[in-house]
Amino acid sequence: MSELHTPQRPLILGSTSRYRRELVERLHTPFTCVAPDVDEAPIPGEAPGALALRLALAKAHAVAALHPEAIVIGSDQVSDLNGQPMGKPGTHKRAVEMLRAMRGQTVMFHTAVAVVCKATGFVQSDVAVIRTMFRSDLSDDAIERYLRAEQPYDCAGSAKSEGLGISLLDAIHSDDPTALIGLPMIRTCRMVRAAGIELP
């Protein structure tokens, strides 16, 4: 008698980020992307890590409400300069301002991930903290060349380490190497497995 195989629940990435999509593609597991409808404005006085975690959970819950049978991944990243959250620059001018402010500084990146399944009541979340050290000899010309080449205006803090942005840094310290790109995959895999999807 053949063993009955229970099909896995659908996997959804609650994000429109191409960086996160490319990371989840590494799992060789079918998934879809759904844009979460979430207000990403920080609450006054909210710490960067708390902001990232709140938004990751909000995104996962928002998509899970529309797809209750699915296992949903939500994520958010907030860069942190001296306790102040720095979002995505959006414009060239704002990106220049951010990178000048980060020159010679230690900048923390808080990358939160949440996995939710409404049908089973599954909820797990965690935050990876990445400590980066930006070069003190980073010139205005180097900043300009980097921004023109990469145009990282959709990246927290304008720092795109998986590309030319690695040249802006002296060091990166993290226990989850993909967290700086936008999704801590070690944590994500652990939660997705716990939610019921077999990996690999």
Side-chain angles (χ1 to χ4, degrees):
M1 183 182 291
S2 63
E3 188 177 321
L4 291 175
H5 178 69
T6 303
Q8 294 189 144
R9 292 183 178 277
L11 180 64
I12 296 177
L13 174 61
S15 175
T16 56
S17 164
R18 60 193 168 107
Y19 311 112
R20 293 190 180 110
R21 184 187 71 241
E22 288 166 2
L23 288 171
V24 176
E25 284 172 351
R26 297 183 185 186
L27 301 181
H28 296 274
T29 299
F31 73 99
T32 56
C33 294
V34 175
D37 184 14
V38 169
D39 180 2
E40 298 191 28
I43 296 169
E46 189 172 26
L51 171 61
L53 184 59
R54 178 175 63 81
L55 292 179
L57 281 163
K59 291 173 182 180
H61 280 295
V63 174
L66 301 174
H67 303 273
E69 296 298 325
I71 293 169
V72 180
I73 302 167
S75 186
D76 195 78
Q77 184 180 73
V78 179
S79 53
D80 169 0
L81 178 61
N82 300 321
Q84 295 301 310
M86 300 173 70
K88 299 170 185 174
T91 66
H92 183 85
K93 180 176 182 291
R94 180 68 183 131
V96 169
E97 292 169 356
M98 282 185 175
L99 290 174
R100 285 177 176 170
M102 293 189 289
R103 181 166 40 204
Q105 301 292 315
T106 296
V107 180
M108 312 300 284
F109 285 81
H110 304 267
T111 308
V113 59
V115 174
V116 170
C117 180
K118 191 172 175 66
T120 63
F122 182 90
V123 179
Q124 283 191 8
S125 60
D126 199 0
V127 182
V129 180
I130 310 98
R131 186 162 59 97
T132 64
M133 285 170 276
F134 280 74
R135 288 171 36 208
S136 58
D137 63 346
L138 191 60
S139 68
D140 288 350
D141 284 345
I143 289 172
E144 187 68 23
R145 288 194 304 273
Y146 163 68
L147 291 176
R148 294 298 180 191
E150 290 276 83
Q151 300 185 15
Y153 308 131
D154 59 346
C155 297
S158 310
K160 191 176 173 185
S161 67
E162 66 272 28
L164 183 59
I166 199 72
S167 69
L168 309 179
L169 302 171
D170 275 332
I172 298 172
H173 300 281
S174 174
D175 67 353
D176 208 331
T178 60
L180 191 54
I181 301 173
L183 189 63
M185 291 302 291
I186 293 173
R187 287 167 171 81
T188 301
C189 289
R190 183 170 63 237
M191 292 180 198
V192 166
R193 283 195 304 267
I197 290 181
E198 294 181 7
L199 296 173

